[in-house]
Amino acid sequence: MFLRRSFLAFVLTFPLCAAVQAASPAWPGSTDDWKGYRRHSFDYDGRKCFVVEPKKEATGRPWIWRARFWGHRPEVDLGLLDKGFHLAYMDVAEMLGNREAVAHWNKFYKLLTGRYRFSKKVALEGMSRGGLYIYSWAAANPKKVSAIYADAPVCDIKSWPVALRNGKPDPKGWEMAVSAFNFKSVEEARAYKGSPIDILKPLARHKVPLLHVAGDADELVPLADNTRVLEKRYRELGGEITVIIKPGVGHKHGLDDPSPIINFILKNTPQK
C-alpha cells in the first residue's frame, strides 16, 4: 500500500516538476522598465549586460544582439520586441571586435542559449564601430548567425579609427586602435587583416545574409571605403547582401520607416 501511494504521489507531482524545470531561470541583477518592456541589467564575465524581454515571446526564443550604442535609434529593437524577440547587449567597449571582445561574447552567447534557451541562431545589429564587433564575432561563429544588420558600419579599421589620411593616422583614433590591437607601428595597422572586409569567407560559406544601411555623404565612415568594399567582396564570394543607401545623409543611423530592416530579420529568422 505504501509503495502504491508513493508511486501515485510521484506520478501526480511529475508534470509539475517538469514544468518547473522547463521554466526559465530567474535573471540576475536588477530589473527596470525600458520603453515599456522589462529589462534585466547584470554583470557577466566582468561586463555590463542588458536583456530585454518581449511581452509575448515568439516560438523558439529568437533574439537580436546589439553591439554598442545601447538605446540609439531603437526602432528596429522595439519592432522586434513587438514581434516576440528578446533584445540582448553586452558592453565590450572599446575593444573594437578584438579577440578579447569575441571571447566575452562567446561566453554571453553560451549563457543565453544554454541557461536561458535562446535560439541557437541570432540576428546581429551593429551601428558605426559596432560593425567591427558583429563581423568579428560572426566570422568566428558563422553557424550561430541568422542574419547581420549593419548601419553606417565601420568595415575597415584603416578607415576608422586609424583613419589614415596622407599616410598619417588620426591621433585619437590611433590611440584607440593601439589599445585594442596592440599595434606597434602604422605599417602593422596597414597589414592588419581582421577587419570586416577581410573576414567574409566563413559568412559567405554559411550563406549568412547581410543588410547594410548607409548614407552616401558619410565623411566619418565613408561609404566607398567601407560598405562598398565589403559589398563587392561579399558578392564575389557568392554571398547575399542588400544595401540601402540614404542620399545626401552623413553619419546617421536608422530609417524613418524601419520595416525593411525588421522584415529582413524576420525573413531570415529560423522558424521553430
Side-chain angles (χ1 to χ4, degrees), residues 39-55:
R39 177 175 65 174
H40 304 283
S41 304
F42 55 96
D43 289 337
Y44 187 72
D45 199 32
R47 314 304 302 180
K48 187 67 178 178
C49 302
F50 298 134
V51 172
V52 183
E53 293 184 277
K55 294 177 181 177

Side-chain angles (χ1 to χ4, degrees), residues 222-236:
L223 177 67
D225 300 331
N226 291 274
T227 286
R228 285 306 191 199
V229 175
L230 187 145
E231 176 188 20
K232 181 176 183 295
R233 292 187 181 184
Y234 203 57
R235 292 191 193 283
E236 288 174 348

Side-chain angles (χ1 to χ4, degrees), residues 193-238:
K193 294 300 181 183
S195 291
I197 60 171
D198 303 311
I199 54 177
L200 297 170
K201 284 185 179 180
L203 302 179
R205 189 181 308 121
H206 288 87
K207 303 185 184 302
V208 177
L210 314 180
L211 170 63
H212 279 216
V213 176
D216 64 4
D218 192 337
E219 296 182 357
L220 181 64
V221 183
L223 177 67
D225 300 331
N226 291 274
T227 286
R228 285 306 191 199
V229 175
L230 187 145
E231 176 188 20
K232 181 176 183 295
R233 292 187 181 184
Y234 203 57
R235 292 191 193 283
E236 288 174 348
L237 291 168

Side-chain angles (χ1 to χ4, degrees), residues 74-249:
E75 295 90 347
V76 170
D77 298 336
L78 292 170
L80 291 171
L81 281 165
D82 185 60
K83 297 294 185 180
F85 279 59
H86 283 76
L87 168 64
Y89 175 83
M90 181 188 231
D91 188 356
V92 287
E94 288 288 358
M95 298 178 190
L96 305 182
N98 64 11
R99 291 181 180 179
E100 186 180 357
V102 171
H104 284 303
W105 272 31
N106 284 342
K107 292 178 182 178
F108 192 46
Y109 172 88
K110 186 176 180 179
L111 172 73
L112 297 184
T113 58
R115 181 174 175 79
Y116 295 98
R117 305 191 312 281
F118 281 18
S119 172
K120 296 293 184 180
K121 285 205 168 188
V122 59
L124 300 175
E125 173 186 18
M127 293 183 178
S128 192
R129 73 192 68 177
L132 298 174
Y133 298 85
I134 59 175
Y135 274 104
S136 290
W137 190 83
N141 299 275
K143 293 181 180 180
K144 301 171 183 176
V145 182
S146 60
I148 289 177
Y149 155 50
D151 200 305
V154 176
C155 302
D156 185 354
I157 65 161
K158 295 187 293 295
S159 174
W160 189 98
V162 177
L164 288 171
R165 302 289 185 267
N166 299 318
K168 295 183 179 181
D170 172 77
K172 290 185 178 179
W174 178 246
E175 183 179 347
M176 188 183 302
V178 168
S179 176
F181 301 107
N182 197 32
F183 293 138
K184 299 297 189 297
S185 66
V186 173
E187 288 69 29
E188 189 175 344
R190 286 181 182 276
Y192 179 70
K193 294 300 181 183
S195 291
I197 60 171
D198 303 311
I199 54 177
L200 297 170
K201 284 185 179 180
L203 302 179
R205 189 181 308 121
H206 288 87
K207 303 185 184 302
V208 177
L210 314 180
L211 170 63
H212 279 216
V213 176
D216 64 4
D218 192 337
E219 296 182 357
L220 181 64
V221 183
L223 177 67
D225 300 331
N226 291 274
T227 286
R228 285 306 191 199
V229 175
L230 187 145
E231 176 188 20
K232 181 176 183 295
R233 292 187 181 184
Y234 203 57
R235 292 191 193 283
E236 288 174 348
L237 291 168
E240 175 191 337
I241 178 171
T242 301
V243 178
I244 299 175
I245 301 299
K246 298 183 289 186
V249 176

